Amino acid sequence: MGPVNFVAATPSDAEAIAQLVNAAYRPEAGAAGWTHEAEFVAGSRISASQVAAILTRPDAVILLGLEDQEIVACVLIERRGSASSIGLLAVTPRHQGKGIGTRLLDHAERYARTTLGSEQFTICVLTARTELMDFYGRRGYQRTGIVADYPRLAGVGMPISPDLKTEALTKLAGHPAEPDRSQDAGEWVGDRPVPAAVVAAEVAPRTKPSSYPEPFVSRMAGRTKRTLGEVFGLANFGVNLTTLEPGSISSLRHAHSKQDEFIYILAGHPVLVTDQGEAQLSPGMCAGFKAGASSAHHLINRSEEDVVVLEVGDRSPGDSAVYPDDDLQALFVNGQWEFTHKGGSAYGMISSP
């Protein structure tokens, strides 16, 4: 598969768009991709005249995915007040399962936010298409509970089941922008393609603030981590872009038995706290902590500006961590951190440090 470029459709593309959408949504037997709705709805999804009418609307655009000038994907974005409705997301059956749909959705959201000024995205999905519900759920869309009967009079086909329903899904526009995955990538992590490169500051932050048990997780307020290594499927070591707001800390003060750690200050002036005392750091400075031989350490942002740090650490099996200032200790077991009190009673198994 060659690189896929995204462009806005013109009226001359109406027939090709209708053919693409119908092939993706209501394919003939034996021509289906990984997901479709032919078992739920009969008839065409859209006609060329309907597509042409959409392209005349001032607040609507259809974006096309082109591979060697062939239309292989499309998506409709319509501005509705401060929100944008996303629909007609379609990929030709022979190109499905290759990450084009994910990249097209990213591109549509970015267009809605930057060009149309939308703060929210909505998508309408057949409730019976659980695999599609899951697809959008993995991409941050939430079910709203706003359910309606299939629109029989809209000229988009007739439901095979009389009780076929649709539900609106919604997602708030991300800040900063969602990473651009519009370039083709040959590698995959799970169900998503690995990009060739990304803007680090545009990688979505980790949704869970910390994997420490309470009462320690609350102390991580003001810390944002972007797990850069996971974007590329790195398994042997982790890379984080971490932002510390004024008054926040990078972690509990800790030391590892088997993991080497390295930090590089990109912005701001944090204080490095170790067993030897405190040191003021500034952009361009770095520090390393050798497994087993290093003192316990962490960063504190006592300034009035954000601190941005690049963190690198390995994932050595059998690693453990000590926390001299807190009633906590940790052991890395089967890819998970097990936290206990220093007396041995467990806080519980946690998925990642």
Side-chain angles (χ1 to χ4, degrees):
M1 186 179 73
V4 176
N5 300 311
F6 300 112
V7 300
T10 66
S12 64
D13 298 312
E15 181 65 39
I17 293 170
Q19 291 178 4
L20 164 63
V21 171
N22 289 324
Y25 280 65
R26 317 274 167 80
E28 297 179 356
W34 77 275
T35 179
H36 60 86
E37 60 185 35
E39 62 185 292
F40 305 113
V41 186
S44 296
R45 172 61 178 82
I46 200 167
S47 67
S49 61
Q50 289 172 314
V51 174
I54 290 172
L55 293 173
T56 65
R57 300 175 192 168
D59 288 337
V61 64
I62 295 178
L63 300 179
L64 304 178
L66 301 180
E67 181 189 43
D68 296 329
Q69 302 306 308
E70 176 191 359
I71 299 175
V72 298
C74 69
V75 64
L76 166 65
I77 306 109
E78 297 180 274
R79 182 166 56 192
R80 296 180 178 176
S82 62
S84 277
S85 173
I86 297 176
L88 293 184
L89 181 63
V91 179
T92 61
R94 66 187 178 87
H95 284 81
Q96 289 181 20
K98 299 179 180 179
I100 295 177
T102 298
R103 282 172 276 167
L104 185 60
L105 181 59
D106 286 345
H107 197 78
E109 291 174 359
R110 190 163 46 256
Y111 182 95
R113 185 183 59 252
T114 60
T115 303
L116 303 181
S118 298
E119 300 174 356
Q120 188 176 22
F121 318 126
T122 61
I123 291 177
C124 190
V125 182
L126 293 181
T127 57
R129 297 185 69 185
T130 55
E131 81 291 344
L132 202 56
M133 287 284 194
D134 292 341
F135 171 86
Y136 288 120
R138 291 192 298 270
R139 282 145 188 86
Y141 284 82
Q142 303 293 319
R143 300 184 68 162
T144 64
I146 302 175
V147 178
D149 292 332
Y150 189 84
R152 293 169 175 265
L153 303 180
V156 291
M158 293 298 293
I160 296 173
S161 171
D163 60 350
L164 191 64
K165 305 291 184 181
T166 65
E167 182 173 352
L169 310 183
T170 186
K171 175 182 177 180
L172 294 177
H175 299 285
E178 292 83 359
D180 185 356
R181 300 190 183 99
S182 60
Q183 296 304 310
D184 182 54
E187 301 293 333
W188 287 72
V189 175
D191 62 355
R192 63 174 175 80
V194 175
V198 298
V199 177
E202 293 183 355
V203 171
R206 191 170 73 178
T207 56
K208 191 175 182 181
S210 172
S211 291
Y212 291 134
E214 288 289 11
F216 308 109
V217 66
S218 299
R219 292 169 56 184
M220 297 302 108
R223 184 189 75 174
T224 300
K225 281 185 178 287
R226 305 178 191 278
T227 53
L228 306 185
E230 292 184 4
V231 173
F232 304 99
L234 304 186
N236 295 330
F237 63 93
V239 183
N240 297 324
L241 182 67
T242 299
T243 301
L244 305 177
E245 298 176 5
S248 63
I249 61 177
S250 62
S251 64
L252 301 179
R253 198 164 71 90
H254 67 285
H256 286 273
S257 64
K258 293 189 176 182
Q259 178 184 155
D260 288 339
E261 295 178 274
F262 177 86
I263 61 171
Y264 182 89
I265 308 302
L266 295 169
H269 297 80
V271 174
L272 173 63
V273 182
T274 66
D275 291 348
Q276 288 71 45
E278 298 186 354
Q280 182 73 59
L281 304 185
S282 58
M285 296 184 70
C286 60
F289 310 99
K290 182 176 174 58
S294 296
S295 64
H297 53 274
H298 72 165
L299 297 174
I300 302 176
N301 184 5
R302 294 180 181 147
S303 72
E304 297 182 355
E305 61 181 352
D306 285 353
V307 167
V308 183
V309 185
L310 188 68
E311 304 171 333
V312 182
D314 64 64
R315 294 167 175 166
S316 300
D319 188 22
S320 62
V322 296
Y323 302 85
D325 304 329
D326 300 286
D327 181 19
L328 188 70
Q329 58 188 12
L331 183 65
F332 195 53
V333 181
N334 296 325
Q336 297 179 316
W337 282 98
E338 180 183 357
F339 291 96
T340 67
H341 295 273
K342 288 179 177 176
S345 58
Y347 284 105
M349 291 295 292
I350 308 297
S351 60
S352 61

